[in-house]
């Protein structure tokens, strides 16, 4: 009987414990949610970047917000004074006065800061529910000038082959190059990246080739417009172009040349025949040039 009594007495405390666990679980699920990260896909070297981490705590309280790129570089704990701590080389880029629970401002970013950034948000006790989200950002060294287009010549006839190239100055990452001919996209015949080390930064010059045969429909009013389009994300969008001229055959000149050649040959044949014949008879000589 004692054991039964003890079991009955223990039941309320057991049920209470189960209730507390369930309550904690429910609070954790219904607390922190909708965590999202917002950072640019790409920025130019030297930029100041605003990174945001949004979340909904509902009935929870915030315990901490942490930022990582590999190791942790930023921490925000509202219960501590001061609430912000920074770490490492990237932590030195943080504008502390403008950063906080939802934002981190980084200054003077360079290509070596390209990578995956993670935001980790934790609710306070008793749940300490934690969610982490991430996004990738590129820091680009942009080309310092416009692309250049070169072709072998300016005048082309039907059946000729147009060969040329488009050179985009060095950058990191290298530029993407596309072609249009009279507004119609054309594939590059080749694409190559040439390493160009500038100070301590390795950058890549892009060279794209163009190779196609002229057909009767290539020209538009005797003109053929070639454009090289170069871009690096949305940060660098440049183009270079060249206009080719149709070289048409000179029919009158060709016929005239052939006719003159034929007449000249005809008269020389007559001259040689007459001279041979009359020289034999010693009548006279001819002077036909």
């Amino acid at each position: 009987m004692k054991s039964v009594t003890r079991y009955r007495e223990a039941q309320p405390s057991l049920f209470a414990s189960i209730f507390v666990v369930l309550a904690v679980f429910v609070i954790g699920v219904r607390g922190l949610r909708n965590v999202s990260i917002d950072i640019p896909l790409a920025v130019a070297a030297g930029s100041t970047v605003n990174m945001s981490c949004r979340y909904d705590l509902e009935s929870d309280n915030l315990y901490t917000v942490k930022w990582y790129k590999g190791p942790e570089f930023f921490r925000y704990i509202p219960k501590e004074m001061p609430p912000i701590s920074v770490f490492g080389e990237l932590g030195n880029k943080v504008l502390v006065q403008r950063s906080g629970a939802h934002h981190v401002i980084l200054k003077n970013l360079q290509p070596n800061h390209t990578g995956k950034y993670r935001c980790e948000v934790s609710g306070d006790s008793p749940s300490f529910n934690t969610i982490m989200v991430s996004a990738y950002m590129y820091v680009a060294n942009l080309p310092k000038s416009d692309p250049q287009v070169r072709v072998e010549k300016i005048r082309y006839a039907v059946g000729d082959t147009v060969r040329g190239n488009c050179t985009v100055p060095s950058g990191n990452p290298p530029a993407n190059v596309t072609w249009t001919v009279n507004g119609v996209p054309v594939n590059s015949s080749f694409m190559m990246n040439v390493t160009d080390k500038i100070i301590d930064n390795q950058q890549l010059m892009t060279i794209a080739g163009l190779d196609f045969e002229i057909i009767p429909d290539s020209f538009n009013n005797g003109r053929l417009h070639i454009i090289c389009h170069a871009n690096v994300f949305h940060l660098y969008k440049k183009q270079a172009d060249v206009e080719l001229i149709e070289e048409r055959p000179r029919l009158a000149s060709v016929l005239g040349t052939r006719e003159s050649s034929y007449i000249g040959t005809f008269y020389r044949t007559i001259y040689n025949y007459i001279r041979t014949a009359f020289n034999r008879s010693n009548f006279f000589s001819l002077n036909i040039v």
Side-chain angles (χ1 to χ4, degrees), residues 37 62 99 122 137 142 147 174 220 223 242 279:
I37 188 172
L62 178 65
S99 302
S122 298
M137 183 177 71
L142 302 179
N220 185 6
R223 296 287 188 271
V242 62
N279 280 346

Side-chain angles (χ1 to χ4, degrees), residues 32-45:
L32 177 65
R33 65 187 184 93
N34 295 337
V35 180
S36 64
I37 188 172
D38 184 13
I39 66 177
L41 171 62
V43 297

